[in-house]
Amino acid sequence: MPDDRQAPSPSDIQKAHQDWLEQLYAPATAQTPERRSFEVDIGKKIEPLYSPASLEEIGFDHDRDVGFPGQYPFTRGDSPTMYRTEPFVVSAYSGYGEAVECNKRFRKLIGLGVEQILVAFDLPTQCGYDSDDLMSAGEVGKVGVSIDTLADMELLFDGIPLNSVKRVGTLGNAIGPIVAALYAALGEKQGLDYSQYTVNLQNDPLKEYLARGTQIIPAEPAARLAVDPVVWCAEHAPHWSPITVCYNHLNAGGAGSTWGASLALANAIHYLDLLVARGLPIDKVAPLFHMFPDERHDFFVSVANLRALRRTWARLLRERYGAQATASLALKTTVYGHGQETLQEPLNNIVRIGFGTLAYVLGGASYVYIASYDEAVSTPTEETVRVAIRTQQILAQEHGFTDTIDPLGGSYFVETLTKTTAEDMWAQIARIDEIGGALRVIDSGFGREIMNRGAQLRQKRLDSGQRPWVTVNMYPEKPNVPNTAFRMDPSTTERQHARTAEIRRTRDNDRVQRALAAIDKACEQGENQMPAVLEAVRAYATVGEICERWRRAYGTFEPSVAF
Amino acid sequence: MDLLVRRQLASALTRVENRSGNWRDILRDCSRAGSNALVIGVTGPPGAGKSTLVDALAAHWAGMGETVAVLAIDPASPFSGGAVLGDRVRMTRSEGNDRIFIRSMSARGHSGGLNAAALDLCTVMAGHGASRILIETVGVGQNEVEVAFVADCTLVVSVPGLGDSVQAAKAGLLEVGDIYVVNKGDLPGAASVARDLSTMLALVFPGLPGASGPQADRSMMVSIPGATRKLLSARYGAPEDPGGAWHPPVLAVSALSGQSVGELTEWLSTFGTWLRQSPAGKRRRRERVKLQLVALLKQRLFDRLQQDDHAGALTDWIDRVLSGALDVHSATDQILQDKGPPHAR
Amino acid sequence: MAKVGLDGHDVGARVVARGLLEAGMEVIYTGIRRTPEQIARIAMEEDVDVVGISILSGAHLALVPKVRSLLDSSVVMVVGGVIPQEDIPELENVGVSRVFLSGTSVAEIAEYIQSAVSFPEESNGSSDGR
Ligand SMILES: Nc1nc2c(ncn2[C@@H]2O[C@H](COP(=O)(O)OP(=O)(O)OP(=O)(O)O)[C@@H](O)[C@H]2O)c(=O)[nH]1
Ligand SMILES: [Mg+2]
């Protein structure tokens, strides 16, 4: 092929690969056509075969692109030993109803071997409303446990010392300082030093404006509130992970896993910039960051995405921030195992979720929790949660999945995907830099547009059957949400209201008012909110009362509407 | 606006927009009621913050006791004709206010054109008690720019970044604005966009921003071809006119925080005063009626031709053009002669 | 097209709104986190034919009937989301015309809406499907 860019002449293996394509594959598919076109979820075409020629073509370089586990660029793993010393941390994301009820579930989970409890809060809590707020009507205890005050947390962890599991945590994206304070104050109540237990928070408000939608105040101040607990932890609890930058919902919302990663990395950059601007050394704050990748359509893409993410993070931290410490460069990841679950014949979701999770495990995730097979339907029941936990344990212990580090490393296909994905992420971050960073992604509609396009593409491919989905567009069955779905006791809401009313009556209200005034002052003067919020939480101020101060100081959230 | 009126207005707007039911009676009654409503058109590029600004203005006026109606126009899909109308989501300060009524409208699907439809809906809104009417349109496409001509006062919104002042000039928006708003004044760059715009305007308009009399300084003005100059003075008046000429002011505001929105409303009333005094105001009103008449005439004539075409009446003419017996222009002449003026049938 | 309550997952609502646009309809999207009162007010001011509620949080039995009771009786109401089988009759009893479970194709929803809405005779011009 003549080319004035002087392409290197094809090597023997490239010639052999090309010959195979032309002489064997092409004639065969001319006779029996491929059964459909093959492409990853929102993205590239998949070739019929990958070989050393594919790696040559993209300029694959083992030392630069992959390296060794625990070493830059950390593609093969964030630590030298990975699952050989300890498999991923088996976790549960759980919560429903009121704290007392939920506490019983937690005890059972721990009995099953769960090592990390991530508390699912209900929507009023996540959005900063008390259970008795008008906005909370119908939502109390629905998708998680209702938490109004520290008293609810005390009940939730009654008889469960925070150091009896490897980690505890929650999402708390719009209420980061409050959830950090709740866990700090709860530890104090249990007589623990912060150093004796580990808290993991998602605390990543920026993605809420693009997907998921629990935002409370505008994005710019919300990001500042999110880094307050990071600064606080750097001083008081440096082994906690107070921020987990997440693209679970970005991907599900239509970004796809590559753009999802890039949008999330841009959010991470925004938080990191804020921290650096506050004068903290990068190697003091970067180790407190985790990320939460997501890919649920394509098994091998998922493995590659995780590997590419670790690599891109390492490069970003080194090249952009000059980070040196291994703990800054080696990214820990939390994942939520999913497949494309259906309402049709939900038992099949066990298989889907199992494979989705296996991909994360083969990609070297650090912390794993997974959906229950009825998750698409309702709050999981005890039985379905048990299956989820056993699935994780089987993946961790059986079949030899975790026997060697990064078992898919070196696969022509996976390495090609990993390298091209990492390159795409890098280019997309540059694109986001051009438009002015994470906040502009939100308010210019740029992020929305990417997600809308992806969501529509997915819908079209499903509707047309181009992406097969068993029981939905292939071997179709009627969707059904069975009545056995988990139901909440209707009196829960009343009991929650009564308990919170009682707390409001019996607490030291002067102390609460002083604490809330201190929050006002912190807002006004742009100080770190943590000390004031921690005092308010200790004094049993409600989540709603604290958030109301923020709403007054910063205004309410902006809905995003672009189509 | 009480609940009953609100309901009546909502349903009247539907009928008038769809030309259904007793829409003619509604329009007649509403026009007869006469109107002192001030109609403000807000236009500008996508995402400039038009809805947010409309929200801020509406809430401001409602707070002063005015009854405000909002007509938010969004573009429609050229393929399906459908639309997703999302402007009101940005109008959180106004929504639910008893003095404010918000209605969305798609830019397509109006026989007689968007302008005529928008004017009709304004008439209905005014007839139901609105004293201020805000029309939001995206400033892309000729249709939308023309909505400027249905309003008493046109606000052109731009924003810092992306070379918007140039875009505005390209879109023809620099010939229609009565007040230029540089929104997102809280972001860097707003002041410099405002400066650019002011400079451009000073090259065209005499004196200082606002109304300027015969003594106005014209030293900065560049020479502009006679025809354009005439159009401009028809719209903005001449310094010698009663009330003087209008030199569109440029104002940086933040619709989000409300900063300088009060000042904007002051400019709006200054403009309103000028408009009442100036012969340009009268000309604009005449122009508006003319625009409506022409649009309606075109539509009626077109409808009639189409009906005839369904009946095969044009077939003959088409054949004659194809055969070379007639050119299309002569055919048009003859069809019109045949039919006479549209009201003759 | 409305999201009621605190549920912020609006991918489904957006995809459906977009699909209805492609079917030639005019869709007013309310954005997330709306109260029943707000939805009713919007529906009234916009004089809509159909109100579609998207709800995934499980709060449908608490919120949907509330919205329905505030709407004009002539307005057709449909609900989409994750609704257990036994709740569907309950929603239908309060006046929801149709429940679409998550994963329903947009074409099916569009078809239903077209069949459920009767357009008044017009004296002139064409309906734009409002
Ligand atoms: N920083 C800042 N952002 C603003 C301001 N006004 C509006 N915005 C933001 O700009 C974005 C677009 O605002 P809209 O009011 O929807 O803009 P629009 O011009 O009506 O948009 P379209 O109707 O889609 O053309 C939103 O994210 C607003 O919050 C402002 O004064 N300052
Ligand atoms: Mg708008």
Side-chain angles (χ1 to χ4, degrees):
Chain A
M1 193 175 60
D3 186 331
D4 47 19
R5 275 177 296 136
Q6 276 198 336
S9 57
S11 64
D12 291 347
I13 183 72
Q14 283 178 346
K15 269 197 230 110
H17 188 118
Q18 194 60 29
D19 288 349
W20 173 84
L21 253 184
E22 284 165 11
Q23 290 161 22
L24 284 173
Y25 193 76
T29 48
Q31 280 210 321
T32 316
E34 290 179 333
R35 62 192 157 90
R36 58 179 174 88
S37 66
F38 296 90
E39 57 245 320
V40 303
D41 166 37
I42 295 174
K44 297 196 174 80
K45 220 175 106 204
I46 299 173
E47 300 299 333
L49 184 78
Y50 292 81
S51 73
S54 321
L55 295 182
E56 271 186 29
E57 227 162 81
I58 57 168
F60 176 80
D61 178 312
H62 172 271
D63 294 352
R64 187 196 55 211
D65 294 330
V66 178
F68 288 88
Q71 275 179 357
Y72 192 85
F74 300 96
T75 309
R76 302 202 67 181
D78 59 67
S79 82
T81 58
M82 294 302 285
Y83 303 152
R84 298 271 289 193
T85 44
E86 231 182 325
F88 56 84
V89 174
V90 172
S91 317
Y93 177 60
S94 175
Y96 62 93
E98 53 184 334
V100 187
E101 192 59 29
C102 196
N103 171 271
K104 293 185 199 143
R105 168 82 59 97
F106 286 1
R107 290 172 188 232
K108 284 187 188 138
L109 290 174
I110 293 169
L112 293 175
V114 164
E115 303 165 306
Q116 168 173 242
I117 298 266
L118 297 169
V119 180
F121 285 165
D122 68 0
L123 282 170
T125 309
Q126 294 190 50
C127 298
Y129 295 107
D130 289 336
S131 60
D132 49 7
D133 193 289
L134 271 182
M135 286 300 289
S136 306
E139 312 265 20
V140 177
K142 272 280 156 57
V143 303
V145 60
S146 171
I147 301 290
D148 287 326
T149 66
L150 178 59
D152 294 321
M153 290 295 279
E154 291 165 17
L155 291 171
L156 190 61
F157 283 93
D158 181 33
I160 309 174
L162 294 179
N163 60 349
S164 63
V165 285
K166 282 187 181 158
R167 300 202 310 177
V168 290
T170 187
L171 308 187
N173 288 297
I175 54 171
I178 301 177
V179 287
L182 281 169
Y183 276 112
L186 180 61
E188 293 166 5
K189 284 272 165 183
Q190 293 190 345
L192 297 171
D193 192 82
Y194 301 147
S195 65
Q196 289 174 281
Y197 62 105
T198 306
V199 174
N200 164 247
L201 305 176
Q202 195 165 88
N203 182 28
D204 167 21
L206 287 177
K207 63 148 182 333
E208 301 291 318
Y209 299 81
L210 294 176
R212 195 160 179 277
T214 66
Q215 65 271 47
I216 297 174
I217 58 175
E220 192 268 325
R224 280 189 278 130
L225 285 189
V227 302
D228 284 350
V230 182
V231 174
W232 184 86
C233 282
E235 188 178 336
H236 300 278
H239 65 297
W240 289 14
S241 41
I243 191 162
T244 306
V245 187
C246 171
Y247 51 100
N248 182 6
H249 302 89
L250 295 174
N251 177 28
S257 57
T258 308
W259 262 113
S262 307
L263 293 169
L265 284 163
N267 292 343
I269 289 171
H270 187 79
Y271 303 130
L272 284 166
D273 286 349
L274 286 174
L275 288 162
V276 171
R278 291 195 194 179
L280 283 106
I282 190 69
D283 282 328
K284 197 156 183 218
V285 289
L288 277 64
F289 277 65
H290 284 200
M291 281 192 74
F292 193 134
D294 189 70
E295 163 62 52
R296 38 182 100 169
H297 288 78
D298 294 294
F299 187 92
F300 297 102
V301 174
S302 180
V303 177
N305 185 273
L306 247 168
R307 300 170 88 240
L309 176 69
R310 274 195 302 270
R311 182 180 162 195
T312 306
W313 173 270
R315 185 174 168 199
L316 191 72
L317 267 287
R318 179 186 271 185
E319 294 183 10
R320 191 168 177 131
Y321 294 98
Q324 305 276 325
T326 299
S328 300
L329 302 170
L331 179 69
K332 299 269 182 209
T333 51
T334 296
V335 294
Y336 186 29
H338 260 298
Q340 281 297 296
E341 293 125 72
T342 58
L343 297 180
Q344 290 88 338
E345 301 179 2
L347 277 175
N348 302 334
N349 294 333
I350 298 176
V351 180
R352 295 190 173 99
I353 295 163
F355 283 136
T357 309
L358 174 59
Y360 290 143
V361 172
L362 297 180
S366 332
Y367 302 89
V368 175
Y369 63 105
I370 82 176
S372 296
Y373 65 85
D374 58 348
E375 195 99 21
V377 171
S378 79
T379 302
T381 64
E382 209 170 301
E383 186 51 36
T384 65
V385 169
R386 177 187 291 265
V387 174
I389 289 158
R390 295 303 182 217
T391 305
Q392 293 180 66
Q393 290 164 341
I394 290 166
L395 291 175
Q397 306 296 345
E398 298 183 14
H399 293 283
F401 289 136
T402 56
D403 288 1
T404 188
I405 300 170
D406 189 26
L408 294 184
S411 146
Y412 308 125
F413 182 32
V414 170
E415 292 299 1
T416 304
L417 282 174
T418 303
K419 184 168 161 63
T420 52
T421 305
E423 281 163 3
D424 287 348
M425 287 177 189
W426 199 252
Q428 287 163 358
I429 292 169
R431 175 85 188 86
I432 294 172
D433 280 340
E434 256 168 49
I435 67 163
L439 295 180
R440 294 291 87 75
V441 164
I442 295 167
D443 64 29
S444 71
F446 177 86
R448 257 294 159 205
E449 204 176 307
I450 288 173
M451 295 179 51
N452 286 339
R453 246 187 288 143
Q456 284 149 29
L457 182 70
R458 271 185 195 151
Q459 183 73 34
K460 290 216 165 95
R461 285 194 183 157
L462 284 180
D463 287 352
S464 69
Q466 216 219 301
R467 176 155 279 257
W469 200 2
V470 171
T471 69
V472 180
N473 63 13
M474 255 184 144
Y475 320 110
E477 296 287 337
K478 265 189 105 50
N480 179 19
V481 181
N483 301 332
T484 51
F486 173 85
R487 292 273 169 172
M488 204 185 60
D489 173 1
S491 59
T492 297
T493 306
E494 284 154 40
R495 279 200 303 276
Q496 183 67 21
H497 288 176
R499 193 172 22 254
T500 298
E502 178 66 14
I503 296 282
R504 285 208 192 94
R505 211 172 52 73
T506 53
R507 67 188 180 183
D508 177 350
N509 272 305
D510 288 339
R511 184 177 170 197
V512 172
Q513 288 314 318
R514 279 196 305 277
L516 293 175
I519 292 177
D520 289 341
K521 183 164 157 278
C523 291
E524 211 172 281
Q525 314 206 330
E527 289 163 2
N528 191 319
Q529 296 269 338
M530 274 304 289
V533 171
L534 184 52
E535 169 57 15
V537 164
R538 285 181 188 134
Y540 296 92
T542 66
V543 171
E545 285 163 343
I546 297 171
C547 290
E548 193 47 37
R549 299 299 164 131
W550 290 343
R551 286 188 192 101
R552 263 189 245 161
Y554 303 116
T556 45
F557 82 103
E558 294 167 43
S560 61
V561 288
F563 272 84
Chain B
M1 198 181 281
D2 69 28
L3 191 62
L4 192 67
V5 177
R6 196 176 285 281
R7 273 184 199 288
Q8 278 171 353
L9 173 54
S11 127
L13 288 171
T14 306
R15 273 173 281 167
V16 170
E17 189 188 348
N18 290 347
R19 306 277 188 253
S20 69
N22 59 343
W23 68 281
R24 292 289 293 270
D25 302 336
I26 295 171
L27 269 180
R28 193 180 321 113
D29 294 347
C30 289
S31 311
R32 204 177 285 146
S35 155
N36 289 318
L38 183 69
V39 180
I40 294 112
V42 179
T43 189
K50 299 179 292 296
S51 304
T52 314
L53 183 66
V54 164
D55 183 40
L57 287 171
H60 180 96
W61 282 323
M64 300 186 5
E66 304 278 353
T67 302
V68 188
V70 174
L71 181 60
I73 305 177
D74 262 329
S77 153
F79 305 106
S80 69
V84 175
L85 312 174
D87 288 318
R88 65 182 303 140
V89 179
R90 292 270 182 239
M91 304 186 184
T92 44
R93 286 167 284 193
S94 307
E95 237 180 18
N97 187 315
D98 280 345
R99 295 185 187 282
I100 302 176
F101 182 100
I102 304 172
R103 180 63 171 248
S104 314
M105 180 167 111
S106 154
R108 269 173 65 102
H110 304 285
S111 58
L114 178 61
N115 293 325
L119 270 171
D120 284 348
L121 296 200
C122 288
T123 304
V124 177
M125 287 171 157
H128 286 75
S131 58
R132 296 285 153 96
I133 299 173
L134 287 151
I135 308 181
E136 175 184 342
T137 57
V138 182
V140 290
Q142 204 49 40
N143 244 354
E144 283 83 0
V145 172
E146 276 182 7
V147 170
F149 295 104
V150 316
D152 297 310
C153 176
T154 299
L155 294 187
V156 174
V157 184
S158 50
V159 276
L162 311 169
D164 282 314
S165 44
V166 181
Q167 277 177 3
K170 270 194 197 149
L173 290 174
L174 277 187
E175 285 131 51
V176 298
D178 296 314
I179 298 175
Y180 290 87
V181 176
V182 180
N183 189 32
K184 311 199 183 182
D186 48 308
L187 297 182
S192 96
V193 174
R195 258 195 318 274
D196 283 358
L197 275 173
S198 302
T199 311
M200 278 196 240
L201 292 166
L203 297 178
V204 178
F205 293 97
L208 295 172
S212 48
Q215 313 307 326
D217 177 11
R218 303 174 204 206
S219 57
M220 289 260 293
M221 289 170 66
V222 294
S223 77
I224 281 187
T228 309
R229 173 67 64 207
K230 244 175 101 182
L231 280 177
L232 282 175
S233 66
R235 187 164 164 76
Y236 297 98
E240 296 74 25
D241 289 344
W246 182 255
H247 179 150
V250 179
L251 198 66
V253 310
S254 170
L256 206 56
S257 73
Q259 180 203 321
S260 297
V261 169
E263 205 181 324
L264 174 58
T265 59
E266 280 161 30
W267 270 115
L268 277 161
S269 45
T270 311
F271 177 80
T273 311
W274 171 80
L275 195 69
R276 271 192 301 279
Q277 292 170 357
S278 169
K282 249 181 232 106
R283 279 195 298 271
R284 286 186 182 200
R285 280 193 297 279
R286 289 193 70 82
E287 193 56 37
R288 200 178 312 157
V289 176
K290 183 171 155 195
L291 186 134
Q292 264 179 304
L293 275 175
V294 169
L296 290 174
L297 283 169
K298 271 191 203 160
Q299 184 63 36
R300 290 280 187 91
L301 192 55
F302 184 74
D303 285 348
R304 182 168 300 169
L305 281 172
Q306 266 198 329
Q307 275 168 20
D308 288 355
D309 191 30
H310 278 305
L314 288 184
T315 322
D316 212 29
W317 294 105
I318 295 169
D319 289 342
R320 288 164 70 184
V321 172
L322 283 176
S323 74
L326 264 181
D327 67 298
V328 272
H329 297 281
S330 314
T332 311
D333 287 343
Q334 292 190 22
I335 294 172
L336 282 177
Q337 266 166 28
D338 270 16
K339 297 206 174 299
H343 64 255
R345 289 215 312 189
Chain C
M1 176 71 61
K3 291 285 306 178
V4 66
L6 298 175
D7 163 28
H9 291 93
D10 63 347
V11 192
R14 282 166 190 277
V15 168
V16 172
R18 178 80 205 182
L20 296 180
L21 173 156
E22 280 165 15
M25 298 183 202
E26 284 174 15
V27 183
I28 289 137
Y29 177 56
T30 66
I32 60 168
R33 235 184 271 174
R34 293 303 194 150
T35 62
E37 289 77 10
Q38 287 173 332
I39 293 170
R41 166 86 175 241
I42 295 171
M44 188 256 276
E45 287 189 351
E46 302 285 356
D47 197 25
V48 299
D49 299 307
V50 182
V51 168
I53 301 279
S54 154
I55 185 162
L56 305 168
S57 67
H60 47 272
L61 286 185
L63 296 172
V64 169
K66 184 88 195 287
V67 180
R68 178 69 263 188
S69 71
L70 295 168
L71 290 177
D72 211 273
S73 59
S74 64
V75 173
V76 174
M77 185 166 173
V78 297
V79 171
V82 181
I83 315 286
Q85 211 59 45
E86 66 183 351
D87 294 354
I88 294 177
E90 207 161 317
L91 293 178
E92 286 170 348
N93 272 341
V94 300
V96 172
S97 317
R98 184 75 175 258
V99 173
F100 296 103
L101 294 185
S102 287
T104 308
S105 82
V106 182
E108 187 181 330
I109 298 171
E111 225 166 86
Y112 175 78
I113 289 176
Q114 255 139 8
S115 73
V117 176
S118 57
F119 296 101
E121 265 316 298
E122 286 136 35
S123 60
N124 184 12
S126 59
S127 162
D128 55 12
R130 185 186 273 288

